[in-house]
Amino acid sequence: MSSSSNAPQLTIGVLALQGDYASHARVLEEIGVRVKMVRKAQELTGIDGLIIPGGESTTFLKLLAREGLFEPLRSFAASRPTFGTCAGCILLAKHVSGPEQESLGVLDASVERNAYGRQIDSEILTDETRLPGGPLEMVFIRAPRISQVGAEVEVLATRDGSPILVREKNVLAATFHPELSEDRRVHRYFLQMIQERRDSGNS
Ligand code: GLN
């Protein structure tokens, strides 16, 4: 467990209500980040960023409502570094279809749930992205499709012309599961986003 730079150690929260939060925690520890499991609103304090993992977005919505976590999570994700993967990406988007459902609305994107159909609902692709270092392995599991993004959204990777890794200011979202591959570039990119904010004087 060693940090890649001399920067102070970061603490990243992982929303641990449901889904594959343990895999994200393992990756973060491996790249030298302190992990805090977030299950209650007060646990959103004292973290430098938050990961919303994959899982089932409808179940997340139920649990967020039950824990009184929906509004605190929305205000965190509106201004602080937040990374959503798969169901996490669905929760972050402004518009969700297939069917329509509530979301945090902090990422200017339209997302269609389970959009790749049953035949290819789970798939591993390796392709070039805008992250340096060559092709990236990307694991898709009942993935959503990002059908539209706003002008402020930076597209970092696409699949058949649709964005699959996007960033809008403090928000990063992937329709795939970087925590299930050995390549750590996407998590490191998120750390870099946090570091940039710190360096520019935002906490
Ligand atoms: N299909 C799930 C949903 O709609 C997302 C799947 C995932 O996170 N792997 O919420």
Side-chain angles (χ1 to χ4, degrees):
M1 276 210 303
S2 67
S3 185
S4 57
S5 71
N6 294 324
Q9 196 183 20
L10 298 174
T11 301
I12 297 193
V14 180
L15 186 68
L17 295 178
Q18 195 252 336
D20 70 337
Y21 54 86
S23 306
H24 280 287
R26 189 176 43 78
V27 171
L28 292 173
E29 280 166 1
E30 191 191 304
I31 59 176
V33 172
R34 206 181 290 126
V35 177
K36 182 174 174 183
M37 294 300 186
V38 172
R39 297 188 174 92
K40 305 263 175 239
Q42 58 269 31
E43 289 164 344
L44 288 168
T45 55
I47 55 175
D48 298 295
L50 178 73
I51 293 183
I52 306 179
E56 195 58 42
S57 54
T58 49
T59 309
F60 271 115
L61 288 171
K62 281 184 201 143
L63 296 174
L64 290 174
R66 193 181 76 188
E67 300 301 327
L69 201 46
F70 188 88
E71 277 307 323
L73 190 61
R74 194 209 313 259
S75 67
F76 186 96
S79 60
R80 309 287 308 279
T82 306
F83 175 25
T85 56
C86 205
C89 169
I90 296 169
L91 287 177
L92 292 171
K94 274 205 173 121
H95 304 284
V96 180
S97 60
E100 278 186 22
Q101 65 187 34
E102 202 181 5
S103 59
L104 301 169
V106 296
L107 171 67
D108 190 3
S110 299
V111 169
E112 265 172 67
R113 294 179 60 210
N114 303 313
Y116 291 96
R118 279 167 189 240
Q119 300 297 316
I120 51 159
D121 65 354
S122 299
E123 203 182 11
I124 301 177
L125 299 180
T126 302
D127 209 345
E128 288 291 343
T129 70
R130 300 241 331 252
L131 304 184
L136 181 73
E137 179 185 275
M138 295 171 278
V139 178
F140 294 87
I141 303 172
R142 290 179 299 111
R145 187 198 307 271
I146 299 177
S147 54
Q148 229 182 341
V149 291
E152 298 296 309
V153 176
E154 195 183 343
V155 176
L156 298 169
T158 58
R159 169 182 177 180
D160 301 331
S162 299
I164 52 176
L165 178 63
V166 296
R167 176 185 180 175
E168 184 181 9
K169 301 187 190 85
N170 57 300
V171 173
L172 181 67
T175 63
F176 57 96
H177 288 263
E179 76 286 3
L180 298 182
S181 295
E182 295 306 311
D183 198 315
R184 303 297 173 232
R185 275 178 286 163
V186 183
H187 285 82
R188 286 193 196 281
Y189 181 86
F190 183 52
L191 297 194
Q192 209 180 301
M193 282 171 55
I194 298 174
Q195 214 60 62
E196 279 164 18
R197 274 172 70 84
R198 280 197 161 187
D199 295 346
S200 71
N202 288 312
S203 59

